[in-house]
Amino acid sequence: MRKTGIRALMVGLLLIAGCGGSGSEDTGPTTVRLVTHDSFEISDEILAAFEEETGHTVERLSAGDAGTMVNQAILTKDNPIADVMFGIDNTFLGRALEEDLFEEYRSPGLDNVPASLQLDPRVTPIDFGDVCLNYDVAGLSERDLPPPTTLRDLTKPEYSGLLVVEHPGTSSPGLAFLMSTVAVFGEEGDYPWQSFWSDLVANDVLVTAGWEDAYYGAFSGGAGEGDRPIVVSYASSPPAEVIYADPPVSEAPTRVIQDGCFRQIEFAGVMSGTPVPEAARDLIDFMLSLPFQEDIPLNMFVFPANQEAQLPDEFVNYTEVPASPVLMQPEIIDANRSRWIEEWIEIVATS
């Protein structure tokens, strides 16, 4: 985002915060300010049902990507920009917790959420997605190549020039994939993650600035227009290819490699200092309810956190949840993110 855009966003959010939102009392139906990242999408009728059920009004604020949203919340934490934040994920959670952005709240809906998604009592897991390697079925078949089954396979000569990844400094899936390689290979031993990346560079990996450049520009599968049959994307990308296929298809043209998938968990939290804490908790509870949870997959192409939610047929038939995704604690990510990115840049620039 350009500097002028950031300044405009800051002015807008500060004005909203300065207005005090929905007042200082929380005694009945009121306005709940919900700040989200730009990718938040839910059906209008779902939020309308919440408003009808509770009498509350939801005021939606969009604050750029997840990193920008967290930065703005930190800068305005003494006069919160919203009552509820949605869309902070485990790659940025550590920083938000360190700044005490959220108050502790346990929603009754958490009884239906796996413990592995519940990382801190101050935030509520709403959805999750897995950043995974995707491959073009036809593209590998044309080369008489089987899909790689491990990350290490990507360094083999037969996969030279076939992989495209995103820059971890400018792309969320790029950062997730980098952290996955750190978790898989470690930082010590005979073959640490730095060696893996040096070998990828030697094997002609292509790096793009973001997911769209990688998936639609360099990748050969699905809607991609490139010539590289392996890309860092999401476990939900194959069902998306089926849903948006024109003409319709009965089989997904892309598939997922399960080794090295990194689990991104998105949370919602009641913001510290909100003047309407009860209404904010009502909204958190609603986000874990089945109507909201079952609306998530086809709008945001991630999986609902509530394990009682029914998945659309496309998610059942054309992808699967990785059995052993990489999970990394927010405090570890927060302590090492900058260093890992700097080391990665040095490797890619000098190898």
Side-chain angles (χ1 to χ4, degrees):
M1 183 183 292
R2 295 179 180 176
K3 291 182 179 179
T4 53
I6 294 174
R7 291 194 191 102
L9 175 63
M10 275 298 298
V11 170
L13 293 177
L14 286 168
L15 285 173
I16 291 168
C19 291
S22 47
S24 58
E25 295 183 358
D26 192 15
T27 57
T30 188
T31 297
V32 187
R33 298 167 298 164
L34 171 65
V35 64
T36 72
H37 54 57
D38 286 346
S39 298
F40 175 78
E41 189 67 43
I42 210 74
S43 299
D44 290 340
E45 58 266 27
I46 296 298
L47 284 182
F50 169 75
E51 293 179 332
E52 181 176 351
E53 177 184 326
T54 63
H56 303 317
T57 299
V58 179
E59 180 182 346
R60 293 168 59 176
L61 313 172
S62 184
D65 62 23
T68 300
M69 179 175 66
V70 172
N71 289 338
Q72 305 313 317
I74 291 171
L75 290 172
T76 58
K77 69 177 183 178
D78 292 333
N79 195 1
I81 62 176
D83 307 300
V84 174
M85 177 186 289
F86 167 82
I88 182 171
D89 69 20
N90 44 322
T91 64
F92 287 101
L93 181 59
R95 188 172 183 215
L97 297 180
E98 189 176 80
E99 295 286 343
D100 295 321
L101 290 187
F102 305 110
E103 68 170 43
E104 187 169 331
Y105 174 60
R106 178 175 173 79
S107 171
L110 284 172
D111 291 342
N112 293 320
V113 174
S116 61
L117 301 181
Q118 300 182 40
L119 301 188
D120 191 277
R122 289 166 286 181
V123 287
T124 302
I126 303 299
D127 63 64
F128 68 92
D130 295 298
V131 174
C132 300
L133 291 166
N134 284 204
Y135 67 93
D136 173 13
V137 176
L140 288 184
S141 178
E142 290 168 0
R143 294 171 171 84
D144 291 323
L145 284 175
T149 57
T150 69
L151 294 184
R152 189 80 178 258
D153 285 346
L154 297 169
T155 65
K156 294 179 178 178
E158 55 264 39
Y159 295 104
S160 177
L162 303 187
L163 173 65
V164 55
V165 304
E166 301 88 359
H167 194 299
T170 55
S171 165
S172 175
L175 176 59
F177 184 63
L178 169 59
M179 292 189 293
S180 179
T181 65
V182 173
V184 169
F185 296 106
E187 300 210 62
E188 299 178 356
D190 295 336
Y191 196 76
W193 70 267
Q194 295 93 334
S195 297
F196 170 73
W197 276 99
S198 292
D199 287 347
L200 282 187
V201 173
N203 219 30
D204 192 26
V205 65
L206 175 65
V207 178
T208 66
W211 178 83
E212 288 195 3
D213 292 335
Y215 196 84
Y216 294 121
F219 184 47
S220 61
E225 298 180 352
D227 59 2
R228 293 189 174 231
I230 307 172
V231 65
V232 173
S233 191
Y234 297 90
S236 54
S237 294
E241 290 290 351
V242 173
I243 291 166
Y244 292 114
D246 185 18
V249 297
S250 59
E251 294 290 337
T254 63
R255 293 180 186 167
V256 168
I257 299 165
Q258 291 209 22
D259 188 50
C261 290
F262 183 91
R263 176 146 297 170
Q264 290 183 312
I265 308 167
E266 286 195 309
F267 300 89
V270 176
M271 301 199 71
S272 298
T274 171
V276 290
E278 291 299 326
R281 293 166 193 156
D282 289 344
L283 183 54
I284 296 288
D285 294 344
F286 183 73
M287 286 183 171
L288 281 182
S289 71
L290 291 182
F292 189 98
Q293 289 282 294
E294 291 178 353
D295 199 58
I296 286 174
L298 294 182
N299 278 295
M300 293 188 280
F301 285 91
V302 288
F303 291 86
N306 186 335
Q307 57 193 354
E308 298 298 316
Q310 295 295 309
L311 291 173
D313 289 343
E314 294 89 346
F315 272 64
V316 175
N317 296 332
Y318 300 113
T319 194
E320 54 188 293
V321 178
S324 301
V326 170
L327 287 167
M328 192 175 288
Q329 291 301 312
E331 58 269 22
I332 295 176
I333 295 173
D334 207 46
N336 295 283
R337 183 193 304 109
S338 295
R339 177 177 63 84
W340 288 336
I341 293 173
E342 289 171 2
E343 290 187 27
W344 180 92
I345 291 172
E346 184 176 354
I347 292 167
V348 171
T350 59
S351 296

